[in-house]
Amino acid sequence: MTDYTPANVGTVTRYVVVESYTLTPADVAIRAYEVAKGVMIKENCFGLVVMGKEDEVNRVIAEVRKMDPAHIFVKDRGFPPGDARRCRATLGGARPGFHGIEFEMTILPYISHAIEELEHRDASTVPAPKPQLTSSRLDIYRLKKMIDAQEP
């Protein structure tokens, strides 16, 4: 195995995932390009990949999230864009982790809806949480019965 020498020391890479009915990743990318200073921005099908010094990346992300805060999400990425260890141009096929993001995209509308609902609620109207159920431990005899039921 060859030694790895990091090329982008002191930088962070983050995904900006856009789940919006009013904005596209291209809209968010244009705004990111407008406010970026020394930050690399790559647009993709679900949003952006932003890489640079942490304070600059955070500033760019804060600006683009102002566009639609309940529908723009941020996720850390361990590898910079184009990294040969993860780039699909080098490896072929879908990038490792793409299917995870694809699945997460199906959940984001529910999270967006919850965020929007919380913004319209008053703390006094939110019901108190239900008391936690008592922990019922599985009886050893019941466990044995379940195991025996699975055997032919």
Side-chain angles (χ1 to χ4, degrees), residues 88-138:
R88 67 186 181 105
T90 309
L91 300 175
R95 180 191 60 75
F98 172 78
H99 298 295
I101 292 176
E102 187 177 36
F103 171 74
E104 290 169 0
M105 289 293 289
T106 64
I107 298 171
L108 292 181
Y110 299 108
I111 297 170
S112 294
H113 177 72
I115 291 169
E116 290 171 339
E117 284 295 315
L118 287 175
E119 290 174 354
H120 296 95
R121 287 188 179 186
D122 181 21
S124 63
T125 63
V126 177
K130 295 178 182 175
Q132 189 175 12
L133 298 174
T134 59
S135 168
S136 61
R137 295 184 178 178
L138 183 60

Side-chain angles (χ1 to χ4, degrees), residues 29-147:
I30 289 169
R31 180 65 184 142
Y33 289 130
E34 290 173 351
V35 298
K37 294 178 185 172
V39 173
M40 186 176 98
I41 298 166
K42 180 182 176 203
E43 180 186 347
N44 55 31
C45 58
F46 55 80
L48 309 174
V49 180
V50 182
M51 185 189 84
K53 294 190 188 303
E54 187 169 11
D55 56 338
E56 279 299 309
V57 169
N58 290 340
R59 188 184 59 76
V60 170
I61 289 172
E63 280 297 315
V64 298
R65 286 206 69 233
K66 289 178 185 176
M67 297 172 75
D68 194 352
H71 295 94
I72 296 176
F73 299 91
V74 180
K75 180 178 181 173
D76 286 325
R77 181 179 185 199
F79 300 92
D83 191 303
R85 298 168 296 165
R86 287 298 208 215
C87 184
R88 67 186 181 105
T90 309
L91 300 175
R95 180 191 60 75
F98 172 78
H99 298 295
I101 292 176
E102 187 177 36
F103 171 74
E104 290 169 0
M105 289 293 289
T106 64
I107 298 171
L108 292 181
Y110 299 108
I111 297 170
S112 294
H113 177 72
I115 291 169
E116 290 171 339
E117 284 295 315
L118 287 175
E119 290 174 354
H120 296 95
R121 287 188 179 186
D122 181 21
S124 63
T125 63
V126 177
K130 295 178 182 175
Q132 189 175 12
L133 298 174
T134 59
S135 168
S136 61
R137 295 184 178 178
L138 183 60
D139 180 38
I140 189 73
Y141 299 108
R142 185 167 177 221
L143 175 62
K144 172 119 175 60
K145 185 177 178 181
M146 291 167 58
I147 292 171

